[in-house]
Amino acid sequence: MTVIALPRVRRRAPVALGACLLSFAAFWWAQRAAHVSMIDLMVYRAEGETVRAGGDLYALRTTEAHLPTTYPPFAALLFTPLTLLDASTMRALATAGNLALLVVFVALSLRLVDHARVEGVWWASAAAVWCEPVWTTVRYGQINLLLGVLVLWDLTRRPWHRWAGVGIGLAAAIKLTPALFAVFLLVTGVAAYARRGSAGPWLRHARGAAVAFAGATLLAASALPYDSWRFWSRMVFETGRVGLVEDTANQSLRGVLARLLHTTQPGLWWVAAATVAGSLGLGVAVAAELRGRRAWAVSACAVTALLISPVSWSHHWVWCVPMVLILGTRGRAATVGSAQVTAVSTALVTAAGTSLVFCSYALWWVPHGPGRLELQQTGAQLTLSALYEGAGLVFLTLIGVRLWRTCRTV
């Protein structure tokens, strides 16, 4: 029986690879047909040129949209090699690089849920490339998949590995949002010490992330002292530089509240909402980690970071990939029998619903663009423009309920 089955198993990977390559080719063609500008990639290149020319990094305004520099100076240092490429070559390499990073991101996500089969990686990548956050990441030439890979590479390795924390620290030095993963590790270590008298590997992991972040930041400060001073003393607090808070593309709690309240300054409402969501989300992540549910913990931390960030553009939500994979495999640990069938069915329906949210592009069905049209959205339009936040809150709730039920049965 085994001898007969082996060739069939071996055929699955090539078929899945072929389907993935076909999907990627169709995606590449669709991006070219849509005449994507990769405008953020052009900003990155301009930052690299400014560094090489010794200019003022945070006075930069580039492209037809006059976009500013918003990342820490360390990111600009990494962008300097882009100045060696012409625009067309740079766009082609960025597209190919993002597609390769997507495969790695999917593979690491599947490793989180213990489903790291080769054919599964290809099939999931073939589907994931069409979700809105991935499409928009490639459309703009963004670095979200790179940051996701750095974080997951760090969190899917053995907890005591030599480079523990380096991926998270570097990701945070490039863009601040991933720093919440270091906070998550720190809080988990403190909670473990309070409960068990041992901080386990978490404090060491958090320390590694802090050292990597500090090292990258100091390297940037030595190369770009003026720009580093400007960023850390002023620019880091000017969230308005990133874009309009009420923009439909801003899929954070602050963006939702700005549209809901029809104001560009949600103020204390956002502070209160972010404080509550941040505390509860981080609590869920820590509880999941302490119970050995790292996949839940990592995704809960990522969703929490996206919710509480002042601006989380829709392409930042590439973390929908591990979200869907976790939801789809949530019923595996259920009991045997009819309960297992029900749990698996519920998990698949939930995963399908989440996939629909991120593949529907529904947030772009509402009025948006010049004229600040988002401030006049109706109830139905507000619902569509809050789908990602809603999916994130539901995801955190499901994990919290599952942890509570698991705790009751222990």
Side-chain angles (χ1 to χ4, degrees):
M1 192 69 173
T2 304
V3 175
I4 297 175
L6 278 175
R8 184 179 301 172
V9 172
R10 289 172 180 169
R11 284 197 298 268
R12 290 176 184 170
V15 171
L17 173 60
C20 183
L21 292 176
L22 183 62
S23 180
F24 280 10
F27 177 88
W28 193 305
W29 177 86
Q31 289 263 317
R32 299 287 81 77
H35 303 291
V36 295
S37 63
M38 293 197 171
I39 190 169
D40 287 347
L41 183 63
M42 303 308 294
V43 174
Y44 300 157
R45 188 187 189 196
E47 290 180 23
E49 290 173 342
T50 302
V51 169
R52 293 187 62 182
D56 187 340
L57 189 60
Y58 294 99
L60 174 68
R61 292 293 186 278
T62 188
T63 72
E64 65 277 9
H66 303 288
L67 296 176
T69 301
T70 59
Y71 294 171
F74 179 68
L77 287 180
L78 298 183
F79 296 148
T80 53
L82 296 177
T83 61
L84 305 177
L85 304 171
D86 61 85
S88 60
T89 301
M90 182 176 63
R91 288 190 175 101
L93 289 177
T95 301
N98 265 321
L99 292 177
L101 284 169
L102 174 62
V103 174
V104 178
F105 189 57
V106 168
L108 293 173
S109 299
L110 285 170
R111 183 184 296 178
L112 268 181
V113 295
D114 297 324
H115 272 280
R117 295 178 180 176
V118 174
E119 63 269 22
V121 172
W122 297 126
W123 284 117
S125 299
V129 74
W130 295 100
C131 71
E132 191 274 340
V134 173
W135 169 277
T136 311
T137 287
V138 181
R139 172 190 175 188
Y140 292 146
Q142 263 283 342
I143 58 172
N144 307 300
L145 290 168
L146 172 62
L147 299 179
V149 165
L150 284 172
V151 171
L152 286 187
W153 171 82
D154 205 338
L155 292 171
T156 54
R157 293 166 64 85
R158 291 173 300 175
W160 295 102
H161 69 89
R162 181 185 303 177
W163 302 100
V166 170
I168 293 172
L170 290 178
I174 296 170
K175 194 171 184 176
L176 294 178
T177 309
L180 189 65
F181 286 97
V183 176
F184 151 70
L185 291 169
L186 175 62
V187 175
T188 303
V190 172
Y193 185 81
R195 292 175 57 182
R196 308 170 184 170
S198 172
W202 296 291
L203 290 185
R204 180 179 180 273
H205 207 152
R207 183 172 62 248
V211 169
F213 173 81
T217 302
L218 289 174
L219 174 64
S222 65
L224 304 168
Y226 175 72
D227 292 321
S228 294
W229 170 255
R230 282 249 292 168
F231 179 81
W232 294 109
S233 64
R234 178 182 172 185
M235 298 304 169
V236 69
F237 304 108
E238 296 184 0
T239 57
R241 285 168 50 85
V242 180
L244 299 177
V245 63
E246 76 277 5
D247 196 315
T248 296
N250 183 12
Q251 293 293 297
S252 70
L253 288 173
R254 186 166 177 249
V256 169
L257 287 171
R259 295 187 291 271
L260 179 64
L261 300 175
H262 307 294
T263 177
T264 60
Q265 298 294 333
L268 291 177
W269 288 104
W270 169 64
V271 173
T275 300
V276 172
S279 301
L280 294 177
L282 194 59
V284 167
V286 170
E289 179 71 7
L290 290 174
R291 299 190 69 81
R293 304 285 190 172
R294 170 148 288 192
W296 296 3
V298 171
S299 294
C301 184
V303 169
T304 301
L306 292 167
L307 289 173
I308 67 175
S309 176
V311 175
S312 292
W313 300 127
S314 67
H315 50 77
H316 295 168
W317 283 82
V318 292
W319 287 93
C320 66
V321 174
M323 281 173 61
V324 170
L325 292 173
I326 289 169
L327 290 172
T329 58
R330 198 165 52 93
R332 286 192 312 138
T335 56
V336 178
S338 60
Q340 184 183 43
V341 175
T342 302
V344 171
S345 300
T346 302
L348 292 176
V349 169
T350 307
T354 306
S355 298
L356 182 61
V357 166
F358 290 101
C359 293
S360 66
Y361 296 69
L363 73 160
W364 300 114
W365 300 354
V366 303
H368 62 276
R372 315 195 89 157
L373 302 176
E374 290 90 344
L375 294 177
Q376 286 82 44
Q377 288 182 358
T378 64
Q381 292 167 348
L382 286 168
T383 300
L384 289 177
S385 65
L387 281 178
Y388 290 9
E389 296 89 343
L393 290 172
V394 169
F395 179 78
L396 291 177
T397 301
L398 288 174
I399 293 179
V401 170
R402 185 65 183 273
L403 287 171
W404 177 68
R405 288 178 176 175
T406 303
C407 184
R408 288 186 64 191
T409 58
V410 173

